[in-house]
Amino acid sequence: MTDRTTAPAGRGRGRRPAEEVRADVLEAVGALILSEGLADLTFERVAREAGVSKTTLYKWWPSKGALALDGYFHAVEETLAFDDTGDIRADLLSQLLAFTRLMTQTPAGRALLELIGESQTDAELAVAYRQLYSSQRRRLAGDRLLKARRQGQIRSDVDVQIVVDQLWGAVYHRLLIPDEPVTEDFARGLVANLLDGIVPASR
Amino acid sequence: MTDRTTAPAGRGRGRRPAEEVRADVLEAVGALILSEGLADLTFERVAREAGVSKTTLYKWWPSKGALALDGYFHAVEETLAFDDTGDIRADLLSQLLAFTRLMTQTPAGRALLELIGESQTDAELAVAYRQLYSSQRRRLAGDRLLKARRQGQIRSDVDVQIVVDQLWGAVYHRLLIPDEPVTEDFARGLVANLLDGIVPASR
């Protein structure tokens, strides 16, 4: 067992606090997925780039999928953060535009779709996907929507989790089954349709 | 070459019209997917059950995925048909309820999700999925929605293909990433949110 009093903190080969090591790993993984996607993401490479042992990685993340999803969640947390300008329409649209750009213009989009694809026949990955990524994204979107509901900007009888499926879920649908393109007009149409309804106002 | 005048039509081993053979194959494949899913769907079994040669099957369907999707499309055509009672709200809801039942209560649901999953890393299957299944389903839904738009039941500025993503796409999203359940209330919420909008009417 290492005597921690002899190991200098901070730089060097001393033992760093676990949370710091963990953050370094997640940062390395996130950067890799955003720039290259999943293909070259390996435990070996992450261990080398983050300066940790493979044993440590496997202790925290049992599979490449879990490692990828945890790193990805943290990498996009800021990009996908919700504004709170007080106007739910504007805030939803700017978040959706950031989300569609991320999914269509970085290698991360393809990576995420492949993880969703693989999770259809890999039960362990499906659990990791929900625990490390989608349930947290759902919660963040739900929080912003619930606040708007409390402020009277969304009808009080609306189930905000259904809204999540009708905005972000609709984008995932078009990405996973690309019969139609994911464009800025698409994002604007999603928000307009759902906020204003598609039946004429007079009805 | 078989002399068709010597081959009796109908039952027996004579040459049947290609369209009839094709319909028999699609029926056999569809029944198999609806009752058992994809696992035991093989060219051998379909050839045996539909009474055709494997060569014929491969001539028409280059892959198991293409065969499955074509059979599935035809098997669910009637179940997923759109009513036209003149009330788009009622017709959308009854179709969505039939769709969610099919996806959650028959082995076909899992089969379709696995095909979507596999198509994320199989470009040929992705093309087959769109050509043999999703683009046709999109067209059928679009036709019913466009009729409602012409009748003034949907706003004239609404892109009906975006509506497809916000109803059926929202269901696929919940099925593919099952953080939340696909229930009858979910289907009702989808229709209510989208038709009426989620902002208070007074705004």
Side-chain angles (χ1 to χ4, degrees):
Chain A
M1 202 176 233
T2 310
D3 179 353
R4 296 195 62 185
T5 58
T6 65
R11 289 197 188 80
R13 305 197 57 82
R15 175 178 286 189
R16 293 174 296 163
E19 276 316 301
E20 199 181 289
V21 177
R22 205 180 161 92
D24 284 356
V25 171
L26 291 176
E27 196 182 324
V29 172
L32 217 157
I33 296 175
L34 284 177
S35 61
E36 301 181 24
L38 283 183
D40 293 324
L41 178 72
T42 61
F43 277 87
E44 285 73 12
R45 183 167 172 192
V46 173
R48 197 170 59 239
E49 295 195 2
V52 298
S53 71
K54 275 172 58 183
T55 311
T56 299
L57 292 183
Y58 280 112
K59 198 174 68 186
W60 285 333
W61 298 280
S63 66
K64 175 177 158 176
L67 180 62
L69 287 160
D70 210 359
Y72 184 71
F73 178 82
H74 288 85
V76 299
E77 207 168 4
E78 205 170 318
T79 308
L80 298 185
F82 285 86
D83 279 342
D84 187 357
T85 66
D87 176 355
I88 188 65
R89 184 184 300 262
D91 293 350
L92 284 177
L93 182 59
S94 64
Q95 203 280 352
L96 274 168
L97 290 174
F99 171 62
T100 54
R101 275 193 300 268
L102 178 72
M103 294 300 287
T104 57
Q105 293 170 22
T106 75
R110 173 82 349 243
L112 213 59
L113 301 182
E114 288 179 7
L115 288 169
I116 295 170
E118 210 180 315
S119 76
Q120 301 313 308
T121 46
D122 180 337
E124 207 177 304
L125 179 62
V127 170
Y129 192 94
R130 297 200 296 276
Q131 287 183 344
L132 297 170
Y133 191 72
S134 59
S135 70
Q136 299 187 69
R137 294 295 332 159
R138 261 195 190 272
R139 187 179 47 73
L140 291 168
D143 288 349
R144 181 68 191 87
L145 291 164
L146 284 173
K147 184 168 184 190
R149 203 174 72 175
R150 281 195 304 273
Q151 294 171 328
Q153 297 190 15
I154 290 179
R155 283 206 326 267
S156 60
D157 63 330
V158 167
D159 177 342
V160 297
Q161 284 304 322
I162 299 182
V163 171
V164 171
D165 297 292
Q166 293 185 289
L167 294 177
W168 296 275
V171 176
Y172 277 112
H173 180 243
R174 239 176 224 220
L175 291 166
L176 288 160
I177 310 167
D179 286 302
E180 299 280 338
V182 171
T183 61
E184 227 177 277
D185 278 350
F186 173 57
R188 290 179 194 284
L190 290 174
V191 173
N193 284 356
L194 192 60
L195 266 63
D196 302 324
I198 63 170
V199 300
S202 60
R203 294 180 71 88
Chain B
M1 198 176 235
T2 310
D3 178 353
R4 295 195 61 184
T5 59
T6 65
R11 290 197 188 79
R13 305 194 58 80
R15 175 178 285 189
R16 293 173 296 162
E19 276 316 299
E20 197 182 292
V21 177
R22 204 179 164 92
D24 283 355
V25 171
L26 291 175
E27 196 182 324
V29 171
L32 216 157
I33 296 176
L34 284 177
S35 61
E36 302 181 25
L38 283 184
D40 293 325
L41 177 72
T42 61
F43 277 87
E44 285 73 12
R45 183 164 170 194
V46 172
R48 197 171 59 239
E49 294 193 3
V52 298
S53 71
K54 274 171 61 182
T55 311
T56 300
L57 292 182
Y58 279 112
K59 198 175 67 185
W60 286 333
W61 298 279
S63 67
K64 176 178 157 177
L67 180 62
L69 286 160
D70 210 359
Y72 183 71
F73 178 83
H74 287 86
V76 299
E77 207 168 3
E78 204 170 319
T79 308
L80 297 186
F82 285 85
D83 278 342
D84 187 358
T85 66
D87 176 354
I88 188 65
R89 183 183 299 262
D91 292 350
L92 285 177
L93 182 61
S94 64
Q95 203 280 351
L96 273 169
L97 290 174
F99 170 62
T100 55
R101 275 193 300 269
L102 179 72
M103 293 301 287
T104 58
Q105 294 171 21
T106 75
R110 175 83 346 244
L112 212 57
L113 300 182
E114 289 180 6
L115 289 168
I116 294 170
E118 211 180 315
S119 75
Q120 301 312 308
T121 47
D122 180 338
E124 207 176 303
L125 179 61
V127 170
Y129 191 94
R130 296 201 296 277
Q131 287 183 344
L132 296 171
Y133 191 71
S134 59
S135 70
Q136 299 187 69
R137 294 296 331 159
R138 262 196 189 270
R139 186 179 47 74
L140 291 168
D143 287 350
R144 180 68 190 86
L145 291 164
L146 284 173
K147 184 167 185 192
R149 202 173 74 174
R150 283 194 302 273
Q151 293 171 329
Q153 298 190 12
I154 290 178
R155 284 206 326 268
S156 59
D157 63 331
V158 167
D159 177 342
V160 296
Q161 284 304 322
I162 299 183
V163 171
V164 171
D165 296 291
Q166 293 185 288
L167 294 177
W168 296 275
V171 177
Y172 277 113
H173 180 244
R174 239 176 224 221
L175 291 165
L176 288 161
I177 309 169
D179 286 301
E180 300 280 338
V182 170
T183 61
E184 226 177 278
D185 277 350
F186 174 57
R188 291 180 193 283
L190 290 174
V191 173
N193 284 355
L194 192 61
L195 266 63
D196 302 324
I198 62 170
V199 301
S202 60
R203 294 179 71 89

